[in-house]
Amino acid sequence: MKKILILILLGVVGLSAHAIPLFPFFVDVAGDYDEKTPPELAVLQIPFMYSKKPASFSTLASADEFLKDVLPFSSEKIDRKEEVMKNKVKRVTYSSPMTDGRISILYLVEIPGKGFFAAYNEIPGKQE
């Protein structure tokens, strides 16, 4: 019973701080993920805790539309950034502060000729 009360309390504190970890949403997109950075993403020189070429989503656009539908933008502090990098690599980044001071980041990356990848990382610091 004590554990349930602690979990409820942590949930309330997290919601009141407008903090949300994006990891569950990464799993929704990536499915069965790997604890490594694939060679295709290594060239981007971005650190990732987890990554995967999703089976459920074949394009960045379809995964991005899914996330726009399920992420609680109205009640949480979630930032979305879209960019086209060199060599026409498309990247959409979702980020949100967490209660412990880290930032939860979900990446959607589409590399021409290599396909679509989802990746996740948590970094220390404050969100810009």
Side-chain angles (χ1 to χ4, degrees), residues 56-124:
S56 303
F57 296 94
S58 59
T59 66
L60 181 147
S62 62
D64 193 28
E65 285 303 313
F66 169 76
L67 290 171
K68 287 177 185 176
D69 287 342
V70 299
L71 284 170
F73 285 105
S74 61
S75 63
E76 305 298 339
K77 176 82 172 110
I78 299 174
D79 290 325
R80 180 185 175 280
K81 182 179 177 185
E82 186 175 338
E83 61 186 309
V84 177
M85 303 168 70
K86 64 180 181 177
N87 299 327
K88 298 184 181 182
V89 173
K90 295 179 186 175
R91 181 174 73 185
V92 174
T93 306
Y94 289 90
S95 60
S96 178
M98 298 192 310
T99 56
D100 63 359
R102 291 178 295 154
I103 300 170
S104 177
I105 306 173
L106 192 163
Y107 299 91
L108 305 177
V109 180
E110 196 162 66
I111 303 171
K114 295 183 181 180
F116 165 64
F117 296 85
Y120 179 80
N121 199 17
E122 294 175 0
I123 61 172

Side-chain angles (χ1 to χ4, degrees), residues 13-32:
V13 169
L15 289 175
S16 65
H18 299 289
I20 183 169
L22 297 174
F23 182 74
F25 300 99
F26 162 72
V27 174
D28 286 344
V29 172
D32 184 27

Side-chain angles (χ1 to χ4, degrees), residues 26 33-39 41 48-52 118-120:
F26 162 72
Y33 56 89
D34 298 321
E35 292 186 22
K36 61 181 180 177
T37 301
L41 293 179
F48 302 115
M49 292 172 70
Y50 310 110
S51 61
K52 187 66 174 184
Y120 179 80

